[in-house]
Amino acid sequence: MHTEKKTETVLEEALPEILMRIVSELHDVAYLIERIEPQMLELGGTNVLESPDSVKVMQGIDLAVQKTRGIAEFIDTITGTIPNEWVVDLSTAISLVKLADMQKALSSGVRHGHSQPLGKAAGDFDFF
């Protein structure tokens, strides 16, 4: 009886390269989010700014852009200290992401470890 040994191809990439791709994607996301504000003004005119809810949305857009850029800069900064020899098995990493998404989808909707309370709306902020 002849048995074939299955060999899995392990796709490993240098961690700094992966992180820099993530940084690039985050900058793209920040740019796309930032483009929402002028579009809102173009569609709704300057009257949009008269509504307190619209102002909150605009503030939320600004906050999302700032946070996205901040995360990108943080990752960019720490990436410089990571040796190129550190590699990541992408198939395992992607499987973990899919598992986390599945767990989130199946959960009761309660979010743990998130900085934004569920009762707050986009653009809401607390003064010191």
Side-chain angles (χ1 to χ4, degrees):
M1 182 169 152
H2 177 64
T3 59
E4 284 186 33
K5 187 176 182 181
K6 260 190 174 178
T7 58
E8 266 187 47
T9 304
V10 177
L11 181 60
E12 290 184 338
E13 287 192 43
L15 181 58
E17 290 178 22
I18 294 169
L19 292 174
M20 290 312 295
R21 286 202 317 258
I22 292 170
V23 167
S24 177
E25 290 296 322
L26 286 170
H27 281 296
D28 289 349
V29 168
Y31 174 76
L32 292 171
I33 295 169
E34 199 172 39
R35 295 298 311 140
I36 295 171
E37 210 171 276
Q39 294 296 320
M40 284 181 59
L41 289 173
E42 186 177 311
L43 292 173
T46 54
N47 295 338
V48 166
L49 298 176
E50 293 174 9
S51 165
D53 289 336
S54 294
V55 172
K56 285 182 181 181
V57 169
M58 298 289 229
Q59 289 172 339
I61 292 169
D62 290 339
L63 183 60
V65 169
Q66 290 172 15
K67 283 187 172 194
T68 304
R69 286 198 175 122
I71 292 168
E73 292 304 317
F74 172 75
I75 294 171
D76 189 15
T77 301
I78 64 168
T79 299
T81 64
I82 298 173
N84 279 330
E85 294 78 36
W86 288 14
V87 293
V88 173
D89 175 357
L90 290 180
S91 59
T92 301
I94 291 171
S95 295
L96 292 173
V97 169
K98 289 179 182 176
L99 178 61
D101 287 344
M102 189 182 309
Q103 287 174 334
K104 188 189 304 181
L106 295 174
S107 72
S108 62
V110 177
R111 300 189 323 188
H112 299 283
H114 193 273
S115 64
Q116 181 71 23
L118 293 176
K120 282 194 161 191
D124 285 356
F125 61 94
D126 296 319
F127 288 104
F128 308 96

